[in-house]
Amino acid sequence: MTKALTPIACCQPLAAPSLSEEELESTAALFKALSDPARVKIMNLLAQPRAPVCACEFEPALGLSQPTVSHHLKKLTEVGLLEREQRGKWAYFSLKRDAVDKLASVADLKGVCC
Amino acid sequence: MTKALTPIACCQPLAAPSLSEEELESTAALFKALSDPARVKIMNLLAQPRAPVCACEFEPALGLSQPTVSHHLKKLTEVGLLEREQRGKWAYFSLKRDAVDKLASVADLKGVCC
C-alpha cells in the first residue's frame, strides 16, 4: 500500500517555485491515471453522495467488461485516488480524502497567473 | 482555434451530478495533455511570475530537443491550457486564464467527499 500511495502523496502544486524530477514524474502519473473517459466516469460516480460503490456496480454503469473495470479501478487505486475496502465477495471503492485534497491543490493555478 | 479550445471549454467538475460522453472524453483529454513530466514542467515554468516565456527558453530548461518541446507545447495549446503569441521569429507562451480556472474547478472534489 505504501508504494501505491507514493504519487499522490508527493505532488506539489503546479505553481510551486520549482518541481524535482520525481515530483514531475509523480504529477504526470496522477494526471495519466485520470486520462481515460472510463476513469473520469468512475471518479464522477464516486463523487456522488452514495459512495462507497461496489465494484459490481461499475460494470453496468460504464458498459465495460468486469476485467476492464477492474483494470481502471486498479490504476486509480495505485495512484492513490481511491480507497478499496473488501466486503465479503466484493470490493467497495470510495474517493480518498487526502488524494482529493491533493488533486485540487495540484491543479489550482488560480492566483498565480495569468 | 475554436477546435483547439473545445476540451477545456466544455469540462464540468468531476463532482458534477452526471457527465455526458462528450464531457467524459474532454475531461480525459485535458488530463491526458498533462500526463507527461515535460508538460508538467512547462505548466510549472509558466506559472512563475516571468511568463510569457519564449519557446526558445523551454529547450534548455527541459533538456529536450526543439521538435520535442514544440510537440509538447502544441499538445498543451490544443487542449486550451496555453496561449500562444507570435513575436517575430519566436512564439511566446503563457497560461490561459479560462483554462487555469477550469482545470482547478474540474479537479476540485473538496466538499463533495469523502
Side-chain angles (χ1 to χ4, degrees), chain B residues 39 42 55-56 58-59 62 64-78 84 90 93:
Chain B
R39 296 186 205 162
I42 289 171
C56 57
F58 289 110
E59 195 179 321
L62 298 175
L64 295 172
S65 69
Q66 189 269 322
T68 305
V69 169
S70 292
H71 169 75
H72 289 315
L73 288 168
K74 187 166 172 244
K75 290 289 176 188
L76 289 169
T77 306
E78 276 177 355
R84 183 188 189 281
W90 293 103
F93 291 85

Short mmCIF file of all heavy atoms in Angstrom, two decimals, chain B residues 39 42 55-56 58-59 62 64-78 84 90 93:
data_model
loop_
_atom_site.label_atom_id
_atom_site.label_comp_id
_atom_site.label_asym_id
_atom_site.label_seq_id
_atom_site.Cartn_x
_atom_site.Cartn_y
_atom_site.Cartn_z
N ARG B 39 5.51 18.15 -19.83
CA ARG B 39 4.37 19.10 -19.90
C ARG B 39 4.04 19.66 -18.52
O ARG B 39 3.64 20.81 -18.39
CB ARG B 39 3.16 18.41 -20.53
CG ARG B 39 3.46 18.02 -21.95
CD ARG B 39 2.26 17.46 -22.65
NE ARG B 39 2.68 16.60 -23.73
CZ ARG B 39 1.92 15.69 -24.33
NH1 ARG B 39 0.68 15.54 -23.94
NH2 ARG B 39 2.41 14.95 -25.30
N ILE B 42 6.50 22.38 -18.10
CA ILE B 42 6.10 23.57 -18.87
C ILE B 42 5.04 24.35 -18.10
O ILE B 42 5.12 25.58 -17.95
CB ILE B 42 5.57 23.16 -20.26
CG1 ILE B 42 6.73 22.66 -21.14
CG2 ILE B 42 4.83 24.33 -20.93
CD1 ILE B 42 6.30 22.04 -22.46
N ALA B 55 9.43 30.28 -26.59
CA ALA B 55 9.60 28.86 -26.90
C ALA B 55 11.07 28.45 -26.81
O ALA B 55 11.39 27.33 -26.40
CB ALA B 55 9.05 28.56 -28.29
N CYS B 56 11.96 29.38 -27.14
CA CYS B 56 13.40 29.08 -27.14
C CYS B 56 13.95 28.81 -25.74
O CYS B 56 15.01 28.20 -25.60
CB CYS B 56 14.17 30.24 -27.77
SG CYS B 56 13.88 31.83 -26.96
N PHE B 58 12.40 27.00 -23.41
CA PHE B 58 11.99 25.69 -22.89
C PHE B 58 13.02 24.60 -23.21
O PHE B 58 13.17 23.65 -22.44
CB PHE B 58 10.63 25.28 -23.46
CG PHE B 58 9.49 26.09 -22.91
CD1 PHE B 58 8.80 26.99 -23.70
CD2 PHE B 58 9.11 25.95 -21.58
CE1 PHE B 58 7.76 27.74 -23.19
CE2 PHE B 58 8.05 26.70 -21.06
CZ PHE B 58 7.38 27.59 -21.87
N GLU B 59 13.69 24.75 -24.33
CA GLU B 59 14.64 23.71 -24.76
C GLU B 59 15.72 23.48 -23.70
O GLU B 59 15.88 22.35 -23.24
CB GLU B 59 15.23 24.14 -26.12
CG GLU B 59 15.92 23.03 -26.85
CD GLU B 59 16.46 23.52 -28.21
OE1 GLU B 59 15.77 24.31 -28.89
OE2 GLU B 59 17.57 23.11 -28.57
N LEU B 62 14.13 22.25 -20.26
CA LEU B 62 13.61 20.88 -20.22
C LEU B 62 14.66 19.85 -20.60
O LEU B 62 14.49 18.66 -20.34
CB LEU B 62 12.42 20.73 -21.18
CG LEU B 62 11.18 21.60 -20.89
CD1 LEU B 62 10.16 21.43 -22.00
CD2 LEU B 62 10.56 21.22 -19.56
N LEU B 64 15.40 19.05 -23.64
CA LEU B 64 14.82 18.28 -24.75
C LEU B 64 15.08 19.01 -26.06
O LEU B 64 15.34 20.21 -26.07
CB LEU B 64 13.30 18.15 -24.55
CG LEU B 64 12.83 17.35 -23.32
CD1 LEU B 64 11.33 17.47 -23.15
CD2 LEU B 64 13.23 15.88 -23.46
N SER B 65 14.99 18.27 -27.16
CA SER B 65 15.21 18.87 -28.47
C SER B 65 14.07 19.81 -28.84
O SER B 65 12.96 19.69 -28.30
CB SER B 65 15.32 17.77 -29.54
OG SER B 65 14.05 17.18 -29.71
N GLN B 66 14.36 20.71 -29.75
CA GLN B 66 13.36 21.70 -30.15
C GLN B 66 12.07 21.06 -30.71
O GLN B 66 10.97 21.46 -30.32
CB GLN B 66 14.01 22.68 -31.15
CG GLN B 66 13.17 23.89 -31.48
CD GLN B 66 12.28 23.63 -32.70
OE1 GLN B 66 12.71 22.97 -33.65
NE2 GLN B 66 11.06 24.12 -32.67
N PRO B 67 12.17 20.03 -31.57
CA PRO B 67 10.93 19.41 -32.07
C PRO B 67 10.09 18.76 -30.95
O PRO B 67 8.86 18.82 -30.98
CB PRO B 67 11.43 18.33 -33.05
CG PRO B 67 12.80 18.76 -33.44
CD PRO B 67 13.37 19.48 -32.25
N THR B 68 10.78 18.19 -29.97
CA THR B 68 10.05 17.57 -28.85
C THR B 68 9.35 18.63 -28.00
O THR B 68 8.19 18.48 -27.62
CB THR B 68 11.02 16.74 -27.97
OG1 THR B 68 11.69 15.80 -28.81
CG2 THR B 68 10.28 15.99 -26.88
N VAL B 69 10.07 19.72 -27.75
CA VAL B 69 9.48 20.83 -27.00
C VAL B 69 8.26 21.37 -27.75
O VAL B 69 7.20 21.60 -27.16
CB VAL B 69 10.52 21.94 -26.76
CG1 VAL B 69 9.85 23.20 -26.23
CG2 VAL B 69 11.60 21.47 -25.80
N SER B 70 8.42 21.56 -29.06
CA SER B 70 7.30 22.07 -29.88
C SER B 70 6.10 21.15 -29.80
O SER B 70 4.95 21.60 -29.73
CB SER B 70 7.72 22.19 -31.35
OG SER B 70 8.68 23.20 -31.49
N HIS B 71 6.35 19.86 -29.83
CA HIS B 71 5.26 18.87 -29.73
C HIS B 71 4.50 19.03 -28.41
O HIS B 71 3.26 19.07 -28.40
CB HIS B 71 5.86 17.46 -29.85
CG HIS B 71 4.88 16.37 -29.51
ND1 HIS B 71 3.85 16.00 -30.36
CD2 HIS B 71 4.76 15.59 -28.40
CE1 HIS B 71 3.16 15.03 -29.78
NE2 HIS B 71 3.69 14.76 -28.61
N HIS B 72 5.24 19.14 -27.32
CA HIS B 72 4.58 19.29 -26.01
C HIS B 72 3.80 20.60 -25.93
O HIS B 72 2.68 20.63 -25.43
CB HIS B 72 5.62 19.23 -24.89
CG HIS B 72 6.22 17.87 -24.69
ND1 HIS B 72 5.46 16.72 -24.66
CD2 HIS B 72 7.50 17.47 -24.50
CE1 HIS B 72 6.25 15.67 -24.47
NE2 HIS B 72 7.49 16.10 -24.38
N LEU B 73 4.41 21.68 -26.42
CA LEU B 73 3.72 22.98 -26.39
C LEU B 73 2.45 22.93 -27.24
O LEU B 73 1.42 23.50 -26.86
CB LEU B 73 4.66 24.08 -26.90
CG LEU B 73 5.80 24.47 -25.94
CD1 LEU B 73 6.81 25.35 -26.67
CD2 LEU B 73 5.26 25.21 -24.71
N LYS B 74 2.53 22.23 -28.35
CA LYS B 74 1.36 22.11 -29.23
C LYS B 74 0.22 21.36 -28.54
O LYS B 74 -0.94 21.78 -28.61
CB LYS B 74 1.78 21.37 -30.52
CG LYS B 74 0.72 21.32 -31.59
CD LYS B 74 1.29 20.89 -32.93
CE LYS B 74 0.18 20.66 -33.93
NZ LYS B 74 0.09 19.27 -34.38
N LYS B 75 0.56 20.27 -27.86
CA LYS B 75 -0.47 19.47 -27.18
C LYS B 75 -1.17 20.29 -26.09
O LYS B 75 -2.38 20.24 -25.93
CB LYS B 75 0.15 18.21 -26.55
CG LYS B 75 0.59 17.19 -27.57
CD LYS B 75 -0.60 16.52 -28.22
CE LYS B 75 -0.21 15.54 -29.31
NZ LYS B 75 -1.40 15.05 -30.05
N LEU B 76 -0.38 21.05 -25.33
CA LEU B 76 -0.96 21.87 -24.25
C LEU B 76 -1.80 23.02 -24.82
O LEU B 76 -2.80 23.41 -24.24
CB LEU B 76 0.16 22.41 -23.35
CG LEU B 76 0.84 21.37 -22.46
CD1 LEU B 76 2.10 21.94 -21.81
CD2 LEU B 76 -0.12 20.86 -21.38
N THR B 77 -1.36 23.55 -25.95
CA THR B 77 -2.10 24.64 -26.59
C THR B 77 -3.40 24.11 -27.19
O THR B 77 -4.46 24.73 -27.06
CB THR B 77 -1.23 25.33 -27.67
OG1 THR B 77 0.00 25.73 -27.08
CG2 THR B 77 -1.94 26.55 -28.25
N GLU B 78 -3.34 22.94 -27.83
CA GLU B 78 -4.52 22.34 -28.46
C GLU B 78 -5.64 22.08 -27.47
O GLU B 78 -6.82 22.22 -27.79
CB GLU B 78 -4.15 21.02 -29.14
CG GLU B 78 -3.57 21.19 -30.52
CD GLU B 78 -3.14 19.85 -31.15
OE1 GLU B 78 -3.21 18.80 -30.48
OE2 GLU B 78 -2.73 19.89 -32.32
N ARG B 84 -0.70 31.18 -27.10
CA ARG B 84 0.50 31.30 -27.94
C ARG B 84 0.47 32.65 -28.64
O ARG B 84 -0.54 33.01 -29.25
CB ARG B 84 0.48 30.18 -28.98
CG ARG B 84 1.68 30.11 -29.88
CD ARG B 84 1.42 29.09 -30.97
NE ARG B 84 2.61 28.81 -31.74
CZ ARG B 84 3.08 29.59 -32.71
NH1 ARG B 84 2.46 30.71 -33.02
NH2 ARG B 84 4.18 29.25 -33.37
N TRP B 90 10.00 34.16 -32.83
CA TRP B 90 9.65 33.22 -31.76
C TRP B 90 8.20 33.32 -31.30
O TRP B 90 7.61 34.39 -31.33
CB TRP B 90 10.57 33.43 -30.56
CG TRP B 90 11.99 33.05 -30.83
CD1 TRP B 90 13.02 33.92 -31.07
CD2 TRP B 90 12.52 31.73 -30.96
NE1 TRP B 90 14.17 33.21 -31.31
CE2 TRP B 90 13.90 31.86 -31.25
CE3 TRP B 90 11.97 30.45 -30.84
CZ2 TRP B 90 14.73 30.77 -31.43
CZ3 TRP B 90 12.79 29.35 -31.01
CH2 TRP B 90 14.16 29.52 -31.31
N PHE B 93 4.69 31.80 -24.88
CA PHE B 93 3.58 31.05 -24.30
C PHE B 93 3.26 31.52 -22.89
O PHE B 93 4.15 31.90 -22.13
CB PHE B 93 3.91 29.55 -24.26
CG PHE B 93 3.95 28.93 -25.63
CD1 PHE B 93 5.11 28.98 -26.39
CD2 PHE B 93 2.82 28.34 -26.17
CE1 PHE B 93 5.15 28.44 -27.67
CE2 PHE B 93 2.85 27.80 -27.45
CZ PHE B 93 4.02 27.85 -28.20
#
